[in-house]
Amino acid sequence: MKEEKLCELKGDVDSIVYKNEDNGFAVIMLDCGGEPVTVVGEIGDVDEGESLSLMGTYINHPKFGMQFKASLCQRALPQTSTAIKKYLANGVIKGIGPVLAKAIIDRFGEETLDVFENHPERLTEVDGISPKKAAKFSEIFKSKFAIRRLMTYVTSRGISASVGVRAFKRWGDYAISMIEENPYILCSAGVDLPFSKADELAMNDGFAIDNEHRVKAGIENVLSVNADNGHTCLPTDKLIAATAGFLGVEDDVVNECLLQLHEEQIVVSYTKSNGRSYEMLRDYAIADMYISKRLCIMKQFAYDSKIDYSEVIDIAQEESGYVYEELQRKAINTALSVGFLVLTGGPGTGKTTTLNAIISLFSQQGLNVMLAAPTGRAAKRISDLTGYDAKTIHRLLEVSFAVGDRPKFVHNENNQLDCDVMIIDEMSMVDTLLFEALLRALPVNCKLIMVGDTDQLPSVGAGNVLKDIIDSGVVPTVTLKEIFRQAQSSRIVTNAHRIVKGEALEFGNCDDFFFFQRLEYTALQQCIVDLCKQRLPDAYGISPFDNIQVLSPTRQGPTGTVELNRILQQELNPPSKEKSEIQTFLYKFRAGDKVMQNKNNYDIVWHKETKGETESGAGIFNGDIGIIKKVNKLLGMVTIDFDGRVANYSIPMLDNIELAYAITVHKSQGSEFDYVIFSSFNGYDKLYYRNLFYTGVTRAKKMLILVGSKTVTDKMIANNRRTNRYTCLKEMIMRDNGDEMDI
């Protein structure tokens, strides 16, 4: 790809069209010697009258013409009396308006800003400025000047302005000195510079490879990367070896720095009963300990399990018209008598019927029952199936603000939910940190019913909570096994159970499970396009956007989601003169595109219109799927509708958006789609295992179509390798909640 040639642009800020103070993105009009130029990019906190030196490229917008896209911004405070007057009159210093700005300029001229910074007492020479006001004006100016110095510092070193904004919010006037002493602090939560970028900065400043700041940051980075891959901990020996290899230092150096992190309580060590020690970031250690202790306490508050509710269940059976089989009755009885239950089972085994009975009987007792699920689609699904209102766990707890990826919730141990019974659906998707937050918000005597399918993939976030809880033996568990008659006619259901048992798929004489063998990737791609664009919509009168979902085990390769999205976008939503487009590093987005959020963002504000009333909230989460409604290229703004929740995205925010005509099986967890097309192709053996295939198949409600190689699907079924994760939760629960750890 041809590299764009950077050029320099200098001028004064004439006006600000748009400015996002959270990430530094702005659209401004720059006066370049009398010639106005539209500038867009992450240029930080800018004000009218400010002088800028920019590096970037010119782009030709089809509607708004030539614009300058800035990639580097250096600031200089205004120099001339006219520019300084405009700068002050714009209100950059609270309390100074046009009249007072003129008086100050008339008195000090081009020395004005030097007076603000170094001789604030002289401001009292202007009528109306008291010594107290002079000191306040100087303080505000220095603060403004500090953030500009920081913006210049970070952008000149190849770091985005948004990182500078976050650093200033975290450390204020001391940010530059702290970064110079230890560049790796930029990797901390809430600032979130990648380790590789901080490492590059430090190496350029002459840091040694065995510098303790570097090694400690390297240890945290290895643990964080592994947490992103699902592990809440790592064996000590593996962590030391991995960090030493990653940083190019000796094991002894890593071990010494690890001990320092123990002393600073940034990393916590835990030794399992087999004598092997594990290392955990502090947040995960606290979360695992809290979960284990709370589960033990909740078990102590559980009801007398000897009570038999058979007569009550018989009455419920007559009223509902259902005949509950033995394990269903056991689950209902356990929920009522103990108030503490894990309910599992595959599709068609009656989990929803059982859950409806449990909810109804608890409600008849006058108890306040709350239903929650980890994703919006999962919450909507369980609400539709039960007839009871369900919310995502995030909405139930109410996010107040977030630091990095960690949200702070309104409801916690100091402000608990008014809840007698908490029912969590799709529990296999709930990660360690989210489950900890939910437990903190529950009263200690609250009943807890967890519903999930352990044959599915574990959570996207770190941990394997449902499996660890079941394996610990602390919570009574009922696994439903019988496939009910009405479900036996569905090949989706019967084949899902065959997959779990490691048996070959069955085809023929069915209308919901099909296989199209395509052994060349171009043929596979064309088959998927035909199914989405014509065959399924024409045959069933459905929408390729609303009713069809393509799944793939991988993002990579010719049959991975990235390439399939490119092809499907071109066929289903091709470019046109009427549609504005915005290009990001990986995707080109236009109105009508089906997209997905790929990272939790707790700050995105959304609005929802319901029966003439507007509901507002914040937070769009990993896996949420929406449709782009509008693209405003001039403002760098994209409007996306997530099932009625409408949110605006700036260009930097689009880094967390990807096309969703095709999504990975991992991203599909917790969701159901009417028609699922599953892509299976040779070349990705590490991803071909049973519970991934099972998870993909069970996403389909009405029809599942496999496209690709039967050899691959057979290989998936035969490979019962589980997604192994390093966790300490099960061990902590079995050790009576790890009381020996004091944090």
Side-chain angles (χ1 to χ4, degrees), residues 698-732:
T698 53
R699 298 311 89 203
K701 290 168 62 177
K702 296 181 179 179
M703 184 178 294
L704 188 286
I705 302 175
L706 303 174
V707 182
S709 166
K710 190 173 185 302
T711 302
V712 170
T713 57
D714 290 344
K715 190 183 296 183
M716 286 185 179
I717 295 171
N719 183 6
N720 198 25
R721 176 181 67 84
R722 286 279 174 167
T723 305
N724 295 317
R725 291 187 168 184
Y726 289 117
T727 70
C728 290
L729 180 59
K730 171 189 169 184
E731 187 85 9
M732 287 182 181

Side-chain angles (χ1 to χ4, degrees), residues 370-400:
M370 288 186 175
L371 272 70
T375 67
R377 284 177 173 261
K380 185 177 186 303
R381 173 182 168 274
I382 194 63
S383 183
D384 291 343
L385 290 173
T386 63
Y388 288 83
D389 184 43
K391 294 182 179 179
T392 66
I393 297 174
H394 286 92
R395 287 195 68 193
L396 198 68
L397 298 180
E398 298 179 54
V399 178
S400 57

Side-chain angles (χ1 to χ4, degrees), residues 270-567:
Y270 183 80
T271 303
K272 292 189 177 182
S273 57
N274 61 7
R276 194 176 191 187
S277 65
Y278 290 75
E279 307 298 332
M280 316 173 70
L281 290 170
R282 177 183 171 84
D283 284 350
Y284 291 106
I286 291 175
D288 274 355
M289 282 193 303
Y290 186 85
I291 292 169
S292 61
K293 289 177 181 177
R294 275 302 303 267
L295 290 180
C296 189
I297 293 170
M298 293 178 86
K299 185 177 182 181
Q300 293 170 10
F301 272 82
Y303 286 4
D304 184 358
S305 60
K306 295 179 181 178
I307 297 177
D308 187 356
Y309 282 86
S310 293
E311 292 184 8
V312 174
I313 297 172
D314 288 340
I315 295 172
Q317 188 170 264
E318 289 181 17
E319 292 177 348
S320 67
Y322 289 106
V323 178
Y324 304 123
E325 55 94 16
E326 182 180 350
L327 286 174
Q328 287 181 303
R329 294 180 68 91
K330 180 182 177 181
I332 298 167
N333 195 81
T334 303
L336 296 176
S337 61
V338 181
F340 201 44
L341 171 71
V342 171
L343 176 63
T344 72
T349 57
K351 289 200 302 293
T352 301
T353 301
T354 307
L355 190 56
N356 276 328
I358 292 171
I359 295 170
S360 176
L361 291 170
F362 274 136
S363 297
Q364 289 175 31
Q365 295 177 15
L367 300 178
N368 185 17
V369 181
M370 288 186 175
L371 272 70
T375 67
R377 284 177 173 261
K380 185 177 186 303
R381 173 182 168 274
I382 194 63
S383 183
D384 291 343
L385 290 173
T386 63
Y388 288 83
D389 184 43
K391 294 182 179 179
T392 66
I393 297 174
H394 286 92
R395 287 195 68 193
L396 198 68
L397 298 180
E398 298 179 54
V399 178
S400 57
F401 65 94
V403 178
D405 288 335
R406 290 300 308 271
K408 299 295 181 182
F409 294 108
V410 171
H411 293 286
N412 50 40
E413 57 265 56
N414 299 317
N415 180 26
Q416 294 184 325
L417 294 165
D418 180 16
C419 177
D420 299 315
V421 182
M422 173 57 64
I423 296 175
I424 311 169
D425 192 34
E426 294 287 357
M427 184 64 197
S428 63
M429 289 185 63
V430 179
D431 62 62
T432 297
L433 297 180
L434 187 58
F435 191 51
E436 175 209 12
L438 179 59
L439 288 181
R440 287 186 184 275
L442 297 181
V444 72
N445 60 344
C446 180
K447 297 160 187 58
L448 181 63
I449 312 298
M450 295 170 278
V451 184
D453 187 345
T454 54
D455 290 313
Q456 290 186 24
L457 293 168
S459 58
V460 175
N464 206 350
V465 177
L466 180 61
K467 185 175 186 302
D468 284 346
I469 290 173
I470 293 173
D471 290 349
S472 73
V474 165
V475 183
T477 301
V478 176
T479 302
L480 303 179
K481 299 176 181 177
E482 180 180 333
I483 305 176
F484 282 83
R485 184 175 301 171
Q486 61 267 31
Q488 290 177 1
S489 61
S490 168
R491 280 287 164 82
I492 296 173
V493 171
T494 57
N495 274 329
H497 287 270
R498 294 182 71 83
I499 291 169
V500 170
K501 296 175 184 176
E503 298 174 356
L505 300 174
E506 288 185 341
F507 300 95
N509 297 322
C510 71
D511 57 6
D512 68 348
F513 202 100
F514 301 95
F515 180 81
F516 291 88
Q517 176 119 322
R518 298 292 186 274
L519 301 181
E520 297 290 335
Y521 74 81
T522 52
L524 182 146
Q525 292 170 347
Q526 189 58 51
C527 180
I528 290 176
V529 167
D530 291 343
L531 287 166
C532 291
K533 189 176 181 179
Q534 290 182 312
R535 295 177 66 173
L536 290 176
D538 290 351
Y540 300 99
I542 60 175
S543 163
F545 297 90
D546 299 331
N547 305 107
I548 302 172
Q549 185 60 60
V550 178
L551 300 183
S552 175
T554 179
R555 290 175 55 83
Q556 301 173 348
T559 61
T561 58
V562 173
E563 182 62 13
L564 288 175
N565 272 315
R566 185 190 66 79
I567 296 169

Side-chain angles (χ1 to χ4, degrees), residues 19 40 158 175 216 246 259 286 337 421 476 559 568 578 605 642 687 703:
K19 180 167 66 174
V40 299
K216 288 197 289 187
F246 172 59
L259 294 176
I286 291 175
S337 61
V421 182
T559 61
L568 288 167
E578 291 75 31
V605 176
F642 295 93
L687 297 171
M703 184 178 294

Side-chain angles (χ1 to χ4, degrees), residues 224-242:
S224 295
V225 169
N226 278 275
D228 290 340
N229 291 326
H231 307 287
T232 58
C233 62
L234 282 181
T236 304
D237 56 332
K238 283 185 174 290
L239 173 63
I240 291 174

